[in-house]
């Protein structure tokens, strides 16, 4: 197996309609090219083209197809997996076009150490996530769906299955591996520090200049020490005395800090190039090499590189999500890696906000997003709403603000807050019964209950996280004031992953997410469950919330449908069968209902037959069946087929799963048996048969093969047998390869 390293992938949480249309065009384009390639390859084998003629015909098409497939891998990896050719077809293509195989994809398995890097743009409008598989000095780029990405963490050994072309892979499935299955042993004489989210963090910041561009005068070792450590450690003092160390200590209730005594800011070092392509891995390697004589990287779990703005790197900051393993002259070390553009940290305020955000990624956090629904605080279960990647203006993991990391992040990833279901002493109370509950203001210490995690209706696997923010201290006091007047509420469901999703409980105010809190004295009744929330009281120290679980109501929902495998091949006239799984997302107050199944096919000439006409499911229940597809006899190429499941209790609620089908021309075989005393030259392929021979062709009434009987000296051809019997003693016989054929040629000594 090949060994790999780093890779890049961009996630766009809301894809504009123009981009979706472009993806659909990309899929159709590749399917058209697949069909052209299959027909060309079949014709070249049927007519016996020379290898050079085959390559000439195929080269332009394969170049164009490679470019289109690469683009689809980057923008829609799941669709790329469905649109790529099955491995059985690819094997035939490699045999036909051996010199052009570098332009063909391959289906397979890749392993390596996973690394996730997030780049944050200057205005908080776009985020690019990059995913890496590292193994030694090799690397690939992997492209994952959002659903796959949230389950993987930097530093884990990962195995992915998918479709690769060049050094880019569209991932169909991914799984973590045990360290024993191939993790590389660390080198060096010192054991690398563990990377965690509690305790003093050893941080090293490396300042660098580029060949033609130096750091701005406002960014020095002294000013960066102030950003990290505070006024006591810098001449560049500030009021308020904001610092990353103080922010972390306040936000974590003392569970996390910067290890001031064992952290340092070094440089600036002069690098030898300008990094015209914003090669962040190159910048990291050069910065670490420059600092290596003065820094033992095995002593640090957080490494930050600050570099000048040359107009090339469009991000304000970039960071790994969690920690990865790096090599230096000191050996192997485990740390989070952060890159910061110096002009974005030119003063204490912007510096602390940017460092807190990017080092938050290093702690394992993704973004603090907002989740909006038209005219309401929350849509029905399973509705992703409209996501704004940086929409939470009340967490440092949103767009540049001083807000403490939100309750879901603090509890589930950072482990600063404990849940009542797992600890007798807890900071997050899990609420599943009606009652009156209180939370201490989120900034207060010592800590009592600082958040409620309320189940969204009886039996639902979705949760509302309730906090009470107050204008206290140097950080949360900088937030928009409306949040101090009620309950700040985040949502957690299958879409959340390692993000947080802030909800707007004043959705018609016209202020967007600047005033999202549910005010004291206000109630919210969930239109899609039996939950009601009322903020009954609030003061400078606490917030009181009444939670009511009423009678369960029924809310019908579109089901979840999956289909496997993602891509198959079938010969003309044949059939193929998929597995289909349907899950009911109706609320728990609903009765069982039937989900009607129907095929979604390329045209009316295709036949698609579900194993059963419908599946009857209770809320939350799932069941499987089959779906058998038969393409029309004359079809050839790549197509998309699907199964639609419709909730019979609400015909507008349906979902469709799709897979790819590649239809190929059947292969037929010509078997030639030549008796002693002669040979038989064959026109396609250009070969001479003696003894027993076998040749393969695509089935076609126009694929003709000419055989010529050639007796040896002293021998006479006595006649044909099998499919050439009609030619008798005529030395030439032409066979149409519309089916598999057997031919015999007999010879005798003498006349």
């Amino acid at each position: 197996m090949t060994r790999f390293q780093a890779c890049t992938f961009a996630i766009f949480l809301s894809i504009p309609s123009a981009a979706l249309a472009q993806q659909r065009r990309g899929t159709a384009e590749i399917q058209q090219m697949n069909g052209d390639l299959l027909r060309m390859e079949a014709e070249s084998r049927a007519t016996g083209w020379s290898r050079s003629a085959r390559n000439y015909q195929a080269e332009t098409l394969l170049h164009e197809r490679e470019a289109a497939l690469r683009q689809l891998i980057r923008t829609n990896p799941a669709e790329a997996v469905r649109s790529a050719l099955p491995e059985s077809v690819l094997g035939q293509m490699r045999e036909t076009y051996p010199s052009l195989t570098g332009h063909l994809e391959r289906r397979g398995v890749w392993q390596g150490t996973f690394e996730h890097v997030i780049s944050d743009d200057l205005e908080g409008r776009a985020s690019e996530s990059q995913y890496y598989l590292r193994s030694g000095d090799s690397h690939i780029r992997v492209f994952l769906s959002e659903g796959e990405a949230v389950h993987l963490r930097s530093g884990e050994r990962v195995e992915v299955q998918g479709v690769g072309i060049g050094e880019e892979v569209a991932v169909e499935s991914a799984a973590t591996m045990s360290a024993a299955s191939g993790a590389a042993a660390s080198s060096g004489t010192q054991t690398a520090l563990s990377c965690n989210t509690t305790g003093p963090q050893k941080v090293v910041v490396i300042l660098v200049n580029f060949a033609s561009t130096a750091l701005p005068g406002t960014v020095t070792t002294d000013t960066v020490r102030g950003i990290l450590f505070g006024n006591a450690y810098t001449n560049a003092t500030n009021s308020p005395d904001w610092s990353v160390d103080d922010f972390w200590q306040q936000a974590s209730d003392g569970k996390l800090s910067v290890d001031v005594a064992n952290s340092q800011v070094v440089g600036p070092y002069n690098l030898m190039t300008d990094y015209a392509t914003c090669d962040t891995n190159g910048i990291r390697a050069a910065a670490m090499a420059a600092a290596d004589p003065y820094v033992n990287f095995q002593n640090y779990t957080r490494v930050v590189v600050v570099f000048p703005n040359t107009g090339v790197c469009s991000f304000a900051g970039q960071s790994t999500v969690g920690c990865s393993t790096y090599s230096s002259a000191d050996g192997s070390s485990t740390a989070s890696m952060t890159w910061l553009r110096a002009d974005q940290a030119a003063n204490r305020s912007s510096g602390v906000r940017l460092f807190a955000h990017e080092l938050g990624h290093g702690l394992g956090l993704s973004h603090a997003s907002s989740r909006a629904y038209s005219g309401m605080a929350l849509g029905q279960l399973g509705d992703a709403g409209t996501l704004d990647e940086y929409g939470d203006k009340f967490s440092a993991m949103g767009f540049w603000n001083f807000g403490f990391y939100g309750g879901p992040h603090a509890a589930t990833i950072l482990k600063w807050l404990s849940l009542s279901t797992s600890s007798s002493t807890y900071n997050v109370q899990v609420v599943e019964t009606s009652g009156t509950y209180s939370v201490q203001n989120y900034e207060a210490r010592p800590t009592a209950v600082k958040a409620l995690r309320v189940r969204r209706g009886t039996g639902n696997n979705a949760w509302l996280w309730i906090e009470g923010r107050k204008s206290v201290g140097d950080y949360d006091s900088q937030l928009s004031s409306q949040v101090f007047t009620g309950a700040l509420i985040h949502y957690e469901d299958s879409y959340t992953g390692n993000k947080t999703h802030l909800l707007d409980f004043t959705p018609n105010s016209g202020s967007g997410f600047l005033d999202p809190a549910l005010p004291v004295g206000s109630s919210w009744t969930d239109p899609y469950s039996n939950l009601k929330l009322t903020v009954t009281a609030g003061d400078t120290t606490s917030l009181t919330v009444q939670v009511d679980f009423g009678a369960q109501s029924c809310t019908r929902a579109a089901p979840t449908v999956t289909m496997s495998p993602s891509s198959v091949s079938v010969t003309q006239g044949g059939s193929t069968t998929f597995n289909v799984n349907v899950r009911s997302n109706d609320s728990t107050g609903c009765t069982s209902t039937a989900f009607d199944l129907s095929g979604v096919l390329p045209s009316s000439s295709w036949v698609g037959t579900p194993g059963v006409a419908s599946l009857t499911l209770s809320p939350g229940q799932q069941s499987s069946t089959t779906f058998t597809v038969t393409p029309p006899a004359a079809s050839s190429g790549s197509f998309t087929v699907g199964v639609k499941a419709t909730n019979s209790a609400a015909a507008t609620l349906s979902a469709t799963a799709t897979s790819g089908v590649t239809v190929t021309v059947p292969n037929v075989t010509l078997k030639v048996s030549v008796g002693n005393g002669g040979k038989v030259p064959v026109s396609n392929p250009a070969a001479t048969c003696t003894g027993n021979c076998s040749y393969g062709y695509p089935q076609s009434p126009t694929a003709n093969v000419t055989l010529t009987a050639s007796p040896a000296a002293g021998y006479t051809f006595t006649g044909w047998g099998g499919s050439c019997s009609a030619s008798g003693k005529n030395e030439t016989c032409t066979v149409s390869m519309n089916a598999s054929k057997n031919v015999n040629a007999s010879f005798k000594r003498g006349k």
Side-chain angles (χ1 to χ4, degrees):
M1 178 146 84
T2 335
R3 295 178 67 82
F4 317 110
Q5 189 186 352
C7 35
T8 305
F9 160 60
I11 291 178
F12 299 96
L13 289 182
S14 51
I15 302 175
S17 58
L20 289 172
Q22 183 178 2
Q23 289 178 9
R24 286 192 290 269
R25 288 195 299 272
T27 300
E29 180 182 21
I30 290 170
Q31 289 182 341
Q32 177 65 46
M33 291 179 177
N34 287 352
D36 293 343
L37 187 61
L38 286 165
R39 287 185 286 273
M40 182 183 297
E41 192 270 343
E43 183 180 356
S44 70
R45 287 191 291 127
T47 58
W49 288 359
S50 68
R51 180 162 290 176
S52 60
R54 294 175 182 177
N55 288 353
Y56 178 79
Q57 292 288 328
E59 187 168 12
T60 298
L61 177 58
L62 284 172
H63 272 288
E64 292 176 353
R65 182 178 175 278
E66 178 187 6
L69 185 57
R70 283 184 185 274
Q71 181 64 21
L72 194 60
I73 285 173
R74 295 164 187 164
T75 57
N76 192 333
E79 194 62 38
V81 170
R82 285 191 288 269
S83 300
L85 292 170
E87 188 60 32
S88 59
V89 178
L90 290 167
Q92 182 64 60
M93 292 291 175
R94 296 185 191 106
E95 182 179 314
T96 305
Y97 306 114
S99 66
L100 299 176
T101 55
H103 302 297
L104 288 168
E105 68 271 25
R106 77 174 183 90
R107 293 180 179 269
V109 174
W110 291 262
Q111 294 178 348
T113 301
F114 187 74
E115 183 175 277
H116 177 191
V117 176
I118 289 182
S119 297
D120 297 296
D121 81 350
L122 303 177
E123 298 178 355
R125 294 177 181 172
S127 168
E128 182 186 18
S129 280
Q130 306 166 27
Y131 297 98
Y132 298 78
L133 278 185
R134 295 181 175 273
S135 186
D137 294 326
S138 301
H139 69 281
I140 59 169
R141 299 167 55 174
V142 293
F143 299 81
L144 303 100
S145 68
E146 177 76 354
E148 287 283 2
V150 300
H151 301 296
L152 303 177
R153 297 288 181 266
S154 293
E156 291 180 327
R157 289 283 300 171
V158 170
E159 178 177 280
V160 303
Q161 181 174 342
V163 172
I165 187 163
E167 294 185 348
E168 299 178 331
V169 174
V171 174
E172 181 176 9
S173 62
T176 57
M177 304 165 60
S178 65
S181 64
S186 61
S187 58
T189 58
Q190 182 177 342
T191 303
L193 298 174
S194 61
C195 202
N196 52 52
T197 61
T198 58
Q201 302 293 300
K202 295 177 172 60
V203 183
V204 57
V205 180
I206 309 170
L207 306 184
V208 297
N209 298 316
F210 289 167
S212 303
T213 310
L215 294 168
T218 53
V219 179
T220 65
T221 55
D222 192 46
T223 59
V224 174
R225 286 176 63 84
I227 291 170
L228 274 179
F229 310 141
N231 286 348
Y233 301 90
T234 179
N235 293 317
T237 58
N238 189 84
S239 181
D241 185 11
W242 294 312
S243 72
V244 175
D245 176 47
D246 187 50
F247 177 87
W248 275 356
Q249 293 202 49
Q250 298 290 324
S252 70
D253 299 314
K255 294 181 174 66
L256 182 76
S257 63
V258 176
D259 188 344
V260 176
N262 293 295
S263 297
Q264 61 175 326
V265 181
V266 298
Y269 302 112
N270 297 319
L271 305 187
M272 302 303 292
T273 185
D274 287 319
Y275 298 94
T277 61
C278 192
D279 174 14
T280 53
N281 275 323
I283 294 171
R284 172 196 58 77
M288 291 179 70
D292 237 331
Y294 316 99
V295 174
N296 184 341
F297 285 100
Q298 291 189 326
N299 291 335
Y300 300 94
T301 56
R302 312 288 168 196
V303 179
V304 182
V305 179
V306 179
F307 62 90
N309 175 27
T310 61
V312 175
C313 294
S314 60
F315 59 76
Q318 177 176 284
S319 181
T320 60
V321 179
C323 295
S324 291
T325 300
Y326 300 92
S327 296
S328 68
D330 308 311
S332 179
S333 56
T334 301
S336 63
M337 188 64 58
T338 299
W339 297 258
L340 299 179
R341 240 179 60 179
D343 59 308
Q344 300 299 301
N347 57 61
R348 185 75 71 86
S349 174
S350 61
V352 171
R353 286 179 286 147
L354 182 58
F355 268 78
H357 182 102
E358 298 302 337
L359 287 173
H361 287 318
L363 292 169
L365 306 181
S366 192
H367 285 131
S369 306
S370 61
R371 191 162 168 176
Y373 298 86
S374 179
M376 60 178 62
L378 187 55
Q380 66 180 357
L381 288 157
D383 186 350
T386 301
L387 302 178
D388 181 342
E389 184 76 357
Y390 301 92
D392 187 345
K393 305 299 191 295
F394 305 92
S395 165
M397 298 314 297
F399 181 65
W400 314 159
N401 67 78
F402 278 116
F404 290 160
Y405 306 135
H409 272 166
T412 61
I413 297 178
L414 299 172
K415 307 300 183 184
W416 295 346
L417 302 177
S418 57
L419 275 70
S420 58
T421 54
S422 60
S423 173
S424 58
T425 303
Y426 54 86
N427 314 110
V428 178
Q429 187 168 2
V430 178
V431 177
E432 300 186 68
T433 58
S434 298
T436 300
Y437 302 89
S438 294
V439 290
Q440 174 182 283
N441 62 297
Y442 199 69
E443 303 78 13
R445 279 160 296 278
T447 57
V449 173
K450 298 185 75 168
L452 304 176
R453 184 176 183 249
V454 181
R455 189 182 289 274
R456 186 192 175 183
T458 304
N460 294 328
N461 190 24
W463 303 83
L464 295 161
W465 289 73
I466 301 175
E467 305 165 17
R469 300 292 182 103
K470 301 299 177 184
S471 182
V472 175
D474 289 336
Y475 301 100
D476 272 5
S477 62
Q478 306 298 310
L479 304 179
S480 177
S481 60
Q482 192 270 347
V483 74
F484 307 134
T485 67
L488 187 70
I489 303 178
H490 295 88
Y491 190 46
E492 174 197 348
D493 68 355
S494 60
Y495 289 98
T496 307
N498 59 352
K499 294 181 171 64
T500 61
H501 287 163
L502 178 66
L503 300 176
D504 183 4
F505 281 82
T506 61
N508 299 309
S509 69
S511 298
F513 280 86
L514 290 175
D515 59 351
L518 180 63
V520 172
S522 299
S523 296
W524 171 76
T525 300
D526 188 354
Y528 302 106
S529 78
N530 61 332
L531 174 66
K532 179 181 179 180
L533 300 176
T534 304
V535 184
T536 57
D539 55 29
T540 58
T541 62
S542 65
L543 194 71
T544 304
V545 179
Q546 176 69 39
V547 179
D548 294 300
F549 291 98
Q552 294 187 47
S553 59
C554 171
T555 301
R556 299 292 181 182
T560 299
V561 186
T562 58
M563 185 173 174
S564 64
S566 60
S567 178
V568 298
S569 65
V570 60
T571 56
Q572 288 176 344
S575 298
T576 186
T577 299
F578 296 90
N579 294 316
V580 177
N581 183 271
V582 181
R583 182 184 187 279
S584 170
N585 295 317
D586 289 350
S587 68
T588 53
C590 296
T591 57
S592 299
T593 191
F595 291 86
D596 300 325
L597 303 180
S598 59
V600 180
L601 300 168
S603 70
S604 59
S605 58
W606 286 64
V607 177
T609 308
V612 295
S614 64
L615 293 169
T616 300
L617 303 173
S618 302
Q621 185 183 11
Q622 57 185 330
S623 184
S624 297
T625 186
T626 58
F627 180 58
T628 301
V629 174
T630 304
S635 60
S636 177
S638 292
F639 306 88
T640 299
V641 300
V643 174
K644 181 180 181 181
T646 302
N647 191 325
S648 63
T652 59
L653 299 174
S654 64
T656 300
T658 59
S659 292
V661 175
T662 297
V663 184
T664 61
V665 178
N667 284 325
V668 293
T669 303
L670 174 62
K671 293 183 177 180
V672 182
S673 178
V674 181
N676 292 332
K679 58 186 178 181
V680 175
V682 180
S683 65
N684 175 26
T688 299
C689 178
T690 59
N692 295 313
C693 306
S694 181
Y695 305 102
Y697 307 89
Q699 182 178 2
S700 170
T702 62
N704 295 323
V705 180
T706 300
L707 302 95
T708 305
S710 177
Y715 283 81
T716 302
F717 174 59
T718 59
W720 297 100
S723 296
C724 281
S725 295
S727 297
K729 294 183 179 182
N730 188 339
E731 291 186 349
T732 300
C733 171
T734 299
V735 179
S736 174
M737 295 310 301
N738 55 0
S740 292
K741 303 289 177 70
N742 294 310
V743 173
N744 303 318
S746 300
F747 301 88
K748 71 176 183 178
R749 186 182 296 276
K751 296 291 185 179

